[in-house]
Structure formats: structure tokens, C-alpha cells
Amino acid sequence: MMEQLLYASEVVVNGLMTGVMYALVALGFVLIYKASGVFNYAQGVLALFAALTLIGIQQGQVPFAHLISALTGMHLDSFGWTVPSLLAILLTALVMVGLAILIEALVLKHLVGQEPIILFMATIGLAYFLEGLGDLMWGASVKSLDVGLPQGLSETVETMTDSLFGYGFFIDRLDIWATIIAAVLVASLVAFSQYTKQGRAMRAVADDHQAALSVGISLRFIWVMVWSIAGFVALVAGIMWGTKSGVQFSLSLIALKALPVLMLGGFTSIPGAIVGGLIIGVGEKLFEFYIGPMVGGATENWFAYVLALLFLVFRPQGLFGERIIERV
């Protein structure tokens, strides 16, 4: 019995760490939704594009090398230098800010006052455009990402838990660092949203574009700011997931894992994204641990979506979402 309890405790710890990562991905969706009232289909592709750009800058790769070679016959695969990880991350963050400015100037500013479905369709088009752009710029091959984060099992955690419980927890050092970084970023975003003037302006823009404009809020500035923050969140998520499993075009599918998190926590709530991520992370690990062996395993692939479906039936606004009542 005690051994089962210790195994379950290790599963819970790993689930909490995974849940923080899910929450980090979901935050990008929440930020865009709070500023525009629309679900950003492109958030997962932003994480992929940021990770590809980071690797390209790190390795000194020539952007559009394949296209240049096809058009000119010149073979310029690399500039011949490498860029330190920290500098490469800063440069990639600047690229994501520049991308946010371009998105606002070329797409969003032309859609002010449009129905949410129009903005949603725009993010779908943007997702496929960025996926193709990333392919053209950096190539479609699977890439490994290394920014110096420690990897491998943590001997410190194993020794500490063994001395306390007589059983050593097997925790990956990358998961520990990813959890710490994600937790700091999540806490910073919560503070920004709740306690700053820009955070309040962001919520006002989400409620009504025209009303926000009428009281002097710059819609264009808010959209650039929010898409820049979402791009930075996507960069951090891309680094964590890319370091863990490699950078390939399936990385954009991490967005699908954020959907159940948003349905549980609510599309408009940053704390909801955190709680939803933790529930999904712990829930899917415990379900796999206890129920998985009875049904053939692989329950982590569908558990979150079944849980989200139950929430849609009984509490469609999520745990922290706002119940909207319209009187006709």
C-alpha cells in the first residue's frame, strides 16, 4: 500500500510539472482572447516558428537558403558562425515583436469592428502562412534544440526523496527547470494582467473595440503589445517542448493540448489557464497510472478531451470563465 502511494506521489509531481507546461501554452491563447475576443488558432504555429527561428539564429543559418539556391544556383547554407544561446533567444524575441507589428499592420488593423468569426478565420490563414514561411526560411527537417538547460534524471531529487520516503523520485532536470521558468512567466503575466494600466486596457479592448477607441485606448498598440507577449510565450513554450522532443512541424500541435485546458479554466481567465493546466496534467498522469493498464494504456492521448467534453456539457464557461447572459 505504501509503495503504491509513493508511486502515485511521483506521478502527481510529474503531472504538476506537465500541467505547468500546458498552462504556459494555454496562456498565449488567453492573452489574445482577452485582447480581441477571438480564439487564436495560430498560437501553436507561433511556438513552432519561434523554435525554428531560434535554431536558425543559433546555427548561423541563412534564411530562405533553399529558395535562394533554387533561384540563383548559389549554395549558402550557413554564414559560418554560431550565436550564443542567450543572444539567440534575445534576437528571436525581437523577431517575434517584429512579427507582431507586421501582423497588426497587415491583418488586424483592417479587421477592427468585425465579427469574431472573421478574426478567427484570419488566425487560421495566419497559422498556415507562418507554417509555410517557417518551412521556406529554415527547412522542414527535424532539428534538435539545445539552449544549455540541464537534462537527464535529477540525482539530487532522487537522493532527497529516497532519504525522506525510502523511495527515490525519478524527475527529469529539464522538467524541473521548465516548471520553474514557466511558473515565473505565468506569475508575471498574472501580475501584468491584473495590476497594470495596460492589463486593464487589454480587457477593455476585448469587451468592445469601438468603446475602447472612444476613451482613448490605442487599439493598434494593445494588439501589438498582446501579440508580442503571446509571441514571447510561444518562444518559451517552443524552447521547452523543442528541447524535450525536438523541433519539427508536429510541434505546432501542442496547441491542441491547450484546448482542454482552456475549456476547464475558461477562455478569459489567466488563473483559469493555470488551474486547468494543473488539473489536466495531474489528471491524465493519474488516470494512466490507475486506469491505463485496465484499458490497454495510451489514455493520455484522449483523457483531457473527454474531461473537457464533460465540462462543456455541465459547465461550458469553465471553472473561472464568465457566464454571459444576453437578454432579448
Side-chain angles (χ1 to χ4, degrees), residues 88-155:
I89 292 172
L90 293 175
L91 291 175
T92 305
L94 290 177
V95 170
M96 300 308 290
V97 172
L99 182 63
I101 294 172
L102 287 175
I103 290 172
E104 191 282 327
L106 299 178
V107 180
L108 298 179
K109 82 171 184 179
H110 302 290
L111 301 176
V112 175
Q114 295 294 326
E115 293 294 324
I117 187 62
I118 302 298
L119 285 165
F120 174 64
M121 294 299 293
T123 66
I124 292 178
L126 183 63
Y128 285 105
F129 172 78
L130 287 176
E131 189 168 331
L133 181 64
D135 190 357
L136 281 175
M137 287 183 69
W138 310 113
S141 60
V142 180
K143 300 174 175 63
S144 61
L145 176 58
D146 183 8
V147 295
L149 292 175
Q151 299 186 53
L153 294 179
S154 174
E155 296 179 1

Side-chain angles (χ1 to χ4, degrees), residues 4-317:
Q4 279 288 104
L5 183 61
L6 290 172
Y7 284 157
S9 300
E10 181 182 348
V11 170
V12 168
V13 172
N14 278 285
L16 288 171
M17 292 182 172
T18 303
V20 173
M21 295 288 288
Y22 289 160
L24 179 61
V25 178
L27 273 177
F29 290 97
V30 173
L31 288 169
I32 299 296
Y33 193 88
K34 288 174 73 69
S36 62
V38 67
F39 176 77
N40 176 27
Y41 185 85
Q43 185 64 30
V45 181
L46 282 176
L48 168 66
F49 184 83
L52 287 172
T53 302
L54 175 58
I55 293 174
I57 293 175
Q58 270 187 313
Q59 298 177 352
Q61 186 178 343
V62 177
F64 303 104
H66 296 292
L67 185 60
I68 293 172
S69 297
L71 293 176
T72 65
M74 300 173 59
H75 297 284
L76 300 175
D77 294 332
S78 173
F79 288 113
W81 65 67
T82 57
V83 178
S85 296
L86 181 58
L87 178 58
I89 292 172
L90 293 175
L91 291 175
T92 305
L94 290 177
V95 170
M96 300 308 290
V97 172
L99 182 63
I101 294 172
L102 287 175
I103 290 172
E104 191 282 327
L106 299 178
V107 180
L108 298 179
K109 82 171 184 179
H110 302 290
L111 301 176
V112 175
Q114 295 294 326
E115 293 294 324
I117 187 62
I118 302 298
L119 285 165
F120 174 64
M121 294 299 293
T123 66
I124 292 178
L126 183 63
Y128 285 105
F129 172 78
L130 287 176
E131 189 168 331
L133 181 64
D135 190 357
L136 281 175
M137 287 183 69
W138 310 113
S141 60
V142 180
K143 300 174 175 63
S144 61
L145 176 58
D146 183 8
V147 295
L149 292 175
Q151 299 186 53
L153 294 179
S154 174
E155 296 179 1
T156 302
V157 172
E158 184 180 359
T159 302
M160 184 184 305
T161 52
D162 186 49
S163 63
L164 290 174
F165 309 113
Y167 172 78
F169 286 9
F170 295 99
I171 307 295
D172 195 311
R173 287 184 294 172
L174 176 61
D175 289 338
I176 296 174
W177 278 97
T179 301
I180 294 172
I181 293 170
V184 170
L185 182 57
V186 166
S188 301
L189 289 173
V190 170
F192 171 81
S193 175
Q194 299 296 326
Y195 303 113
T196 66
K197 179 180 179 181
Q198 290 79 10
R200 292 190 293 271
M202 183 174 66
R203 296 197 297 273
V205 168
D207 289 337
D208 191 318
H209 293 173
Q210 299 297 339
L213 288 170
S214 68
V215 296
I217 296 175
S218 173
L219 184 60
R220 298 188 64 179
F221 171 76
I222 294 297
W223 271 351
V224 169
M225 177 190 70
V226 171
W227 278 80
S228 297
I229 295 173
F232 182 71
V233 171
L235 170 59
V236 176
I239 290 173
M240 301 308 171
W241 288 103
T243 302
K244 193 178 184 69
S245 57
V247 177
Q248 51 192 315
F249 280 81
S250 61
L251 180 63
S252 62
L253 299 179
I254 61 172
L256 298 179
K257 205 66 176 188
L259 290 177
V261 174
L262 294 169
M263 292 174 188
L264 262 67
F267 278 83
T268 60
S269 173
I270 290 179
I274 301 167
V275 175
L278 295 177
I279 291 174
I280 293 292
V282 173
E284 69 179 15
K285 298 293 185 184
L286 285 176
F287 194 84
E288 175 69 24
F289 179 70
Y290 286 111
I291 309 298
M294 303 179 189
V295 296
T299 61
E300 291 186 40
N301 295 330
W302 52 263
F303 169 80
Y305 301 98
V306 173
L307 184 60
L309 180 62
L310 293 175
F311 265 77
L312 286 176
V313 172
F314 297 105
R315 189 178 173 83
Q317 75 271 25

